[in-house]
Amino acid sequence: MQELHDAPLAPLTTFRLGGPATRLLTATTDTEVIDAVREADDSGTPLLIIGGGSNLVIGDKGFEGTALRIATKGFVLDGGSLELAAGEVWTDAVTRTVEAGLAGLECLAGIPGSAGATPIQNVGAYGQEVSSTITEVVAYDRRTRETVVLPNSECAFSYRHSRFKAEPDRYVVLRVRFGLEEAGGLSAPLKYPETARTMGVQEGDRVPAAEARETVLRLRAGKGMVLDPEDHDTWSAGSFFTNPVLEQADFDAFLARVADRLGPDVTPPAFPAGEGRTKTSAAWLIDRAGFTKGYGTGPARISTKHTLALTNRGAATTEDLLALAREVVAGVHAAFGVTLVNEPVTVGVSL
């Protein structure tokens, strides 16, 4: 297991931000992961788990403790059953399932990060969420000090949330198991209007999975959501804020604010979110509050391609990024009475 001291963490994140860790370990096997976690727990050392670094905002002072980078490998496919090691590159794994003619992950192409992070965030995009195909998650339970296998029903999946996110200091994901559909090379039924419209088909239609994947990659690239070292619009964590889910009373108050500010004929995006709740669009809120694409004059700005992405233009600090995020949160709340919540995990800092 590789060990470094006073190790820079910025290169391990897609933001390319953050100070050093006191100690950085890189684990390539499940046993190494568990040993490192146990050692930290036994000594009372603060522990930071790093996968692909696509969902981390690390403070400029860095992390005083042990950072554990999970770099395990493992792609096992048996019919429609797939097991991924936590360190597998997610978008590469999606490509391999499409090449195998399997359906269920094709619209999650291009999402940066590692496989182990997908159940934590219940990663989703373009009409698919991993919770619809995950069958089991293998994790190390720091409370019981044993490896556990959690079936889908025990993962408490919801919109961008899970049991693992709710208890961030308890579980370390080791492996993720999926049940994919053998659909003769066709995709799962398309659920996202933009994808179907771009492909010239109807929602609910199936298309060749490879074409669905390519379409999603083009759509994501057009929004700066596919990593490119030369494109500062991709020096981000993707969507920085989750789409707000509002109770009925809050949604009614929001509609009144919209009518007041933008006029009675303006209708904001609204999607049923279960139990009398409605989900609206964070991107729409940000844009209509005056934070348009490219907003900002400093080294941290809103992406020129997508209002949901806050970006490092190359010379930003984490504090620059947080100042922009706070400005957006305050502006949206002042305009519409809705409080945006950051999606990335913050380390040593907060909004």
Side-chain angles (χ1 to χ4, degrees):
M1 183 157 50
Q2 184 187 66
E3 179 174 345
L4 299 172
H5 294 269
D6 196 27
L9 295 180
L12 302 182
T13 74
T14 52
F15 265 124
R16 294 167 172 81
L17 294 177
T22 307
R23 180 180 183 226
L24 172 64
L25 302 177
T26 299
T28 57
T29 68
D30 290 353
T31 299
E32 288 182 350
V33 171
I34 293 169
D35 287 347
V37 173
R38 283 179 172 166
E39 177 193 295
D41 289 346
D42 288 344
S43 63
T45 303
L47 181 67
L48 171 64
I49 305 294
I50 299 178
S54 62
N55 204 46
L56 278 180
V57 177
I58 298 173
D60 293 317
K61 292 182 179 180
F63 182 72
E64 191 172 337
T66 296
L68 173 61
R69 178 171 172 260
I70 297 181
T72 52
K73 297 295 180 185
F75 180 102
V76 180
L77 191 59
D78 181 10
S81 298
L82 170 67
E83 180 180 279
L84 293 178
E88 282 287 333
V89 176
W90 173 252
T91 194
D92 292 348
V94 171
T95 299
R96 292 176 69 177
T97 66
V98 171
E99 291 173 346
L102 299 173
L105 302 180
E106 60 281 351
C107 292
L108 301 176
I111 295 176
S114 60
T118 60
I120 299 172
Q121 287 292 114
N122 185 18
V123 164
Y126 293 94
Q128 290 182 342
E129 287 184 329
V130 292
S131 58
S132 66
T133 51
I134 287 176
T135 56
E136 295 176 329
V137 176
V138 181
Y140 176 69
D141 185 338
R142 297 169 69 180
R143 182 181 300 173
T144 64
R145 298 176 64 85
E146 62 184 4
T147 300
V148 296
V149 180
L150 299 174
N152 182 296
S153 60
E154 295 181 17
C155 293
F157 288 124
S158 60
Y159 173 65
R160 300 296 175 271
H161 201 69
S162 68
R163 180 176 184 174
F164 312 104
K165 190 172 182 178
E167 300 181 80
D169 297 324
R170 179 171 181 180
Y171 296 103
V172 179
V173 175
L174 301 173
R175 299 188 171 263
V176 189
R177 294 170 179 157
F178 300 83
L180 305 178
E181 184 182 3
E182 299 183 74
L186 293 179
S187 69
L190 298 179
K191 295 181 180 179
Y192 199 70
E194 185 182 16
T195 311
R197 185 169 61 250
T198 302
M199 300 192 73
V201 299
Q202 300 295 312
E203 290 179 57
D205 286 353
R206 292 178 183 264
V207 297
E211 292 182 19
R213 173 185 169 275
E214 289 299 323
T215 298
V216 166
L217 287 174
R218 286 196 301 272
L219 290 171
R220 290 185 65 87
K223 299 172 184 176
M225 298 292 186
V226 177
L227 291 180
D228 179 352
E230 303 304 314
D231 182 359
H232 284 282
D233 279 333
T234 73
W235 290 33
S236 75
S239 299
F240 195 87
F241 300 104
T242 58
N243 289 323
V245 177
L246 306 176
E247 300 292 341
Q248 188 60 51
D250 294 327
F251 185 67
D252 291 341
F254 165 56
L255 290 178
R257 296 284 284 268
V258 171
D260 247 7
R261 182 182 177 90
L262 304 175
D265 297 330
V266 175
T267 303
F271 310 94
E275 300 177 4
R277 300 187 299 170
T278 303
K279 180 168 67 177
T280 191
S281 165
W284 187 93
L285 288 166
I286 293 167
D287 183 73
R288 295 304 179 97
F291 302 100
T292 53
K293 295 174 185 176
Y295 178 88
T297 57
R301 303 180 195 174
I302 290 178
S303 166
T304 66
K305 300 182 180 72
H306 200 298
T307 52
L308 257 186
L310 308 188
T311 68
N312 170 11
R313 307 316 292 183
T317 64
T318 301
E319 204 47 50
D320 292 328
L321 176 77
L322 293 176
L324 176 62
R326 291 173 187 133
E327 183 183 2
V328 171
V329 170
V332 167
H333 189 270
F336 300 113
V338 176
T339 301
L340 294 177
V341 176
N342 53 291
E343 186 166 338
V345 175
T346 55
V347 178
V349 291
S350 64
L351 290 191

